[in-house]
Amino acid sequence: MAHFFLHTLIGQVILTVLEALAVLVPLLLGVAYLTLAERKVMAAMQLRKGPNVNGPFGVLQAFADAIKMITKETVIPSGANRFLFLFAPFLTFSLAMTAWAVIPTNDGWAVANINVGVLYLLAISSLGVYGVLIAGWASNSKYAFLGGLRAAAQMVSYEVSIGLVIVSVLLAVGSLNLNDIVLAQRHVWFCLPMFPMFIIFFISALAETNRAPFDLPEGESELVAGFFVEYSALAFGLFFLGEYANMFLMSGMVSILFLGGWLPPIGIAPFTWIPGPLWLIAKILFCLFVFIWVRATFPRYRYDQLMRLGWKVFLPLSLVWMVLTAGFLLATGLLPQGGAS
Amino acid sequence: MMTQIVFYVFATVLVLSAGMVVSARNPVHSVLFLILAFFNAAGLFLVAGAEFLAMILVIVYVGAVAVLFLFVVMMLDVRFAQMREGLQRYAPFGAAVGLVLLAELALAFSHWQVAEDIGSVPHVVAAPGRTNTAALGDVLYTHYVFLFEACGLVLLVAMIGAIVLTLRERPMGRRQNIDRQHERTAADTLAMMTVPLGQGVAANGGFRRPEHSYYIASVPGSYGVTEEPVPQGRPVDETRRGGHGTENHGGLAQ
């Protein structure tokens, strides 16, 4: 049996599909319940009740929304480019799923444990711009187009600081493999020695996923709903799912790069009884809670403030921190001599 | 076997999409096909085992350069009829340039010389067991560090040059003065007033202006820089688009 799965072509294909399902099914369920959790948490913060009609505590609300979304009519604007219009939401959604291939949930537990895992994540998240940009252009609507342009400018700007923050982490790890990055945090999680970078990365993650307070691409007061103003039914649903799956992905990246991935806070008895994947899930859920908390707390940024924050504050800060990290590691002789596969 | 199938899939899509880049009518479609071509080239790199190059190709070219292309091309106002008008006139010229290039290429290929002394070129062979990321790092940052730094400096000069050439202080619009905005307190903007019955708070349409501007205003008549007082009880000008019809909306309405 083991021979069939590991050494024959068909067996490997089946194994990979099963592994992908093992990641994607919990992820999609998580996305469904994140929408509910967001409404519940925000309701609690605003002294409301939130959805509480469908099922106990409203737990069936997510499925009610899904059924509503599927049974609605897909309206395609008359001047729109049909293919690209329908392609954009699929692109956004499938990219958010694809990235999970490299996220390790325990020591060596990743669908693809590749050597350039971090670069793969960066590449996939930089492709996310296209879903938004194509949606904005293909809708043939001024509001959607402006929203798409804003989103593209915002995501490209904040990717720069995300990239530089990741470089500082990589300097301390000496490997681009996500598994190695987590193992390098056995003694201390990177969020402690690199606390400023942790904060910058988290805020950039908010901007990268177009979440409040950086949700300018959809700014409903000036752009109606931004790049997906013309979308309805399933196409809109895919954008929606993609956005929430991206939140999961960014929370996963924060957990792996700064919060020690599947590692417990201290490697002693009561903590090590809890299995690794549960630690990772707990950390991801914590990050998601902060995402929602931020949304319920802060007003939206003005566009010029957003760009200023990205280019004039985060970029220099992360650049200086990168140089400092390199200098410190070199001076103390801690620079990892990595590179062995 | 599997590798070959993957190679031919990537290669076919790459060549086809490269062809579509030049033949697509719509420039936005051209750029999208270009992105597809980049993507497939990255796939080819992966097949060849150059994983680092593949990822960098996607991050740099697809994730940054092509986004800017798409940005510009989407905002272009291309008139296809006008473009075709010029075709007849410029066709002979284009054909001539093409012919010259073809002739030069033919000359170059007919006199192709391969250097005998290949061995004298310093090779850097990666130690076994090194990932190709580490091997590239060795080459760039250890063996050729000065050349690499020089390349970086050339690019820096190019970037500064581009900024110097295009950055111009234009006397238009309003600029945000972030420092002054941060220094703003409630006392600057809020005031309690006793409003006389039947009259507005201020003459200018019910607006209360801030004491000083939080913009760097370049347009005369902008918010907060008007020297001349706003005329009292001025009738609403219906032809203006700006909501309340007073000077309050500054540059926007004009």
Side-chain angles (χ1 to χ4, degrees), chain A residues 254-273:
Chain A
V254 172
S255 314
I256 283 171
L257 290 173
F258 290 101
L259 297 176
W262 65 81
L263 295 172
I266 316 166
I268 52 171
F271 295 109
T272 47
W273 291 343

Side-chain angles (χ1 to χ4, degrees), chain B residues 75-96:
Chain B
M75 294 208 273
L76 285 181
D77 188 23
V78 185
R79 304 236 181 278
F80 296 104
Q82 242 176 16
M83 269 170 65
R84 232 159 289 149
E85 261 173 31
L87 195 66
Q88 296 253 312
R89 230 162 11 119
Y90 295 117
F93 183 67

Side-chain angles (χ1 to χ4, degrees), chain A residues 70-100:
Chain A
I70 292 168
T71 50
K72 278 189 163 184
E73 182 192 355
T74 305
V75 181
I76 299 179
S78 54
N81 184 323
R82 279 183 79 92
F83 175 74
L84 287 179
F85 185 78
L86 294 175
F87 174 68
F90 281 99
L91 182 72
T92 306
F93 180 70
S94 53
L95 282 177
M97 300 286 118
T98 321
W100 279 85

Side-chain angles (χ1 to χ4, degrees), chain A residues 15-33:
Chain A
L15 187 68
T16 314
V17 170
L18 286 180
E19 281 174 347
L21 284 179
V23 175
L24 293 187
V25 171
L27 175 66
L28 285 176
L29 270 179
V31 167
Y33 276 97

Side-chain angles (χ1 to χ4, degrees), chain B residues 211-232:
Chain B
E211 301 301 323
H212 52 84
S213 167
Y214 295 97
Y215 306 104
I216 300 169
S218 317
V219 176
S222 285
Y223 209 38
V225 280
T226 37
E227 278 81 31
E228 78 276 23
V230 179
Q232 300 260 330

Side-chain angles (χ1 to χ4, degrees), chain A residues 168-196:
Chain A
S168 332
V169 172
L170 294 183
L171 277 172
V173 176
S175 165
L176 295 175
N177 187 317
L178 289 169
N179 211 51
D180 294 349
I181 290 175
V182 175
L183 287 180
Q185 303 178 57
R186 264 166 319 205
H187 306 298
V188 58
W189 294 356
F190 285 145
C191 66
L192 291 179
M194 296 198 186
F195 187 71

Side-chain angles (χ1 to χ4, degrees), chain B residues 12 28 32 41 52 54 86 118 123 148 158 164 179 205 216:
Chain B
T12 320
V28 174
L32 291 175
F52 182 78
I118 283 292
H123 273 293
F148 183 76
V164 167
D179 295 331
I216 300 169

